[in-house]
Amino acid sequence: MQSVHEATMREQFGATVTELLDRDPRTALVLADIGTAQFPEAARAHPDRVVNVGIREQLLIGAAGGLALTGMRPIAHTFASFLIERPFEQVKLDLVHQGVGAVLVSAAGSYDWPAGGRTHMSPGDVALLDTLPGWHVHVPGHPAEADLLLRHAVAADDTLQYVRLSAHQNAGAQPVAPGEFLTVRRGSRTAGTVLAVGPMLDAVLAATETLDVTVLYAATVRPFDAAGLRAALGERADVVLVEPYLAGTSEREAHRALAELPHRVLSLGVPLAEHRHYGSIPEHLAAYGLDAAGLHARIAEYLW
């Protein structure tokens, strides 16, 4: 993994994309006001390839689709609620239906900026993309992983890539490989398996420290590494999914992966409910049962 600036995922995004713009004349960046402060030098150096469309998220996606049609590799960035939910028709038509590739990079997904209220929360973004074919979805848990996965996404020409950045992150990076689950802790042959997605890894490791479980880590969730999940199982096909967005988002994928085995799947994540109370990120995690204490209780009850 390359040496990267250890700060937030969004700061790493700014540094990585600035470098990519300098290196590859096919790379373009499309913004909708949000994020413009990260790219003053890039905008001056590449005024034809750093485009700010203003607060017009539908145009953000349409412009990315148009750039892709000309042979460019566009990167579109804003908050998840404005990148996936608001312009979803354009994502469906201007990208998927046109058959072009692009890289969508979001921030402030499920609970990153609670003070922004419900308009700035998008726990359903990955589930919404699951209604469309062909998307590769990356959920890094650390800035170094964001750097690696972003470079991979941009280099994967003519594909649709979604990189979900978050202010919620793990203390350290993992040696991730795009598209593959990583075994972080191995349980006994009779242990259950817990799959932690992106920034949920630290809490899962703390929650299961005294439990006999195998812990897998996913920084890429689409395509879903079905073979990796099956290979991690012992004699017991009991799986717990811990995702930092809508609970159950990957449940169908897990069932497909284990279709030929008797199995059980417990899905933990942001509940399907209307969220009206706003606090800090730790307060949201505790309220959803996604902190270490909440996860320990739910995983222990399910597996024993």
Side-chain angles (χ1 to χ4, degrees):
M1 193 172 293
Q2 301 185 36
S3 175
V4 294
H5 170 59
E6 295 288 350
T8 68
M9 292 191 207
R10 288 191 74 196
E11 288 172 333
Q12 183 58 55
F13 164 72
T16 302
V17 171
T18 296
E19 179 191 329
L20 294 174
L21 287 165
D22 289 339
R23 286 174 43 193
D24 186 354
R26 292 182 58 246
T27 303
L29 175 65
V30 190
L31 302 168
D33 269 3
I34 290 170
T36 55
Q38 292 182 271
F39 299 99
E41 295 180 8
R44 285 192 293 269
H46 312 289
D48 57 333
R49 292 190 287 121
V50 179
V51 181
N52 179 21
V53 301
I55 308 175
R56 300 175 180 88
E57 287 81 6
Q58 289 85 354
L59 179 57
L60 172 77
I61 301 301
L67 287 166
L69 285 170
T70 71
M72 303 291 285
R73 185 60 167 158
I75 303 166
H77 171 65
T78 185
F79 292 166
S81 54
F82 307 146
L83 185 65
I84 304 300
E85 293 179 335
R86 183 171 293 174
F88 183 71
E89 184 177 14
Q90 282 67 41
V91 172
K92 179 177 73 173
L93 299 179
D94 295 356
L95 297 179
V96 179
H97 191 62
Q98 288 283 3
V100 297
V103 182
L104 306 187
V105 183
S106 73
S110 299
Y111 36 68
D112 275 26
W113 189 28
R118 188 67 171 95
T119 57
H120 289 69
M121 296 180 180
S122 182
D125 55 340
V126 177
L128 192 55
L129 280 183
D130 271 349
T131 67
L132 300 174
W135 281 95
H136 300 248
V137 178
H138 310 283
V139 189
H142 187 273
E145 298 169 13
D147 174 74
L148 183 149
L149 294 169
L150 180 59
R151 292 175 188 275
H152 165 81
V154 174
D157 264 351
D158 301 322
T159 61
L160 292 166
Q161 304 272 340
Y162 179 47
V163 183
R164 191 183 203 265
L165 308 180
S166 179
H168 177 207
Q169 64 186 54
N170 301 314
Q174 296 293 325
V176 299
E180 299 179 12
F181 296 163
L182 175 70
T183 302
V184 179
R185 181 185 292 157
R186 175 68 68 179
S188 71
R189 293 180 58 190
T190 58
T193 301
V194 182
L195 176 63
V197 174
M200 297 311 308
L201 179 60
D202 280 359
V204 166
L205 288 174
T208 60
E209 187 174 7
T210 60
L211 303 178
D212 180 20
V213 297
T214 291
V215 177
L216 295 182
Y217 178 55
T220 299
V221 292
R222 301 291 182 276
F224 190 86
D225 185 9
L229 177 60
R230 289 193 296 269
L233 299 178
E235 299 173 355
R236 182 178 179 184
D238 288 342
V239 175
V240 181
L241 304 175
V242 184
E243 301 180 275
Y245 35 76
L246 190 64
T249 296
S250 293
E251 186 171 333
R252 179 175 58 181
E253 297 294 334
H255 283 306
R256 285 176 175 172
L258 306 176
E260 297 180 1
L261 299 172
H263 67 275
R264 298 189 305 155
V265 176
L266 172 66
S267 296
L268 304 179
V270 180
L272 181 61
E274 191 54 45
H275 306 286
R276 302 182 187 277
H277 301 285
Y278 311 125
S280 65
I281 290 177
E283 287 172 333
H284 274 258
L285 293 170
Y288 303 150
L290 296 178
D291 60 350
L295 288 171
H296 176 85
R298 297 164 83 182
I299 294 170
E301 179 182 12
Y302 179 70
L303 293 178
W304 285 275

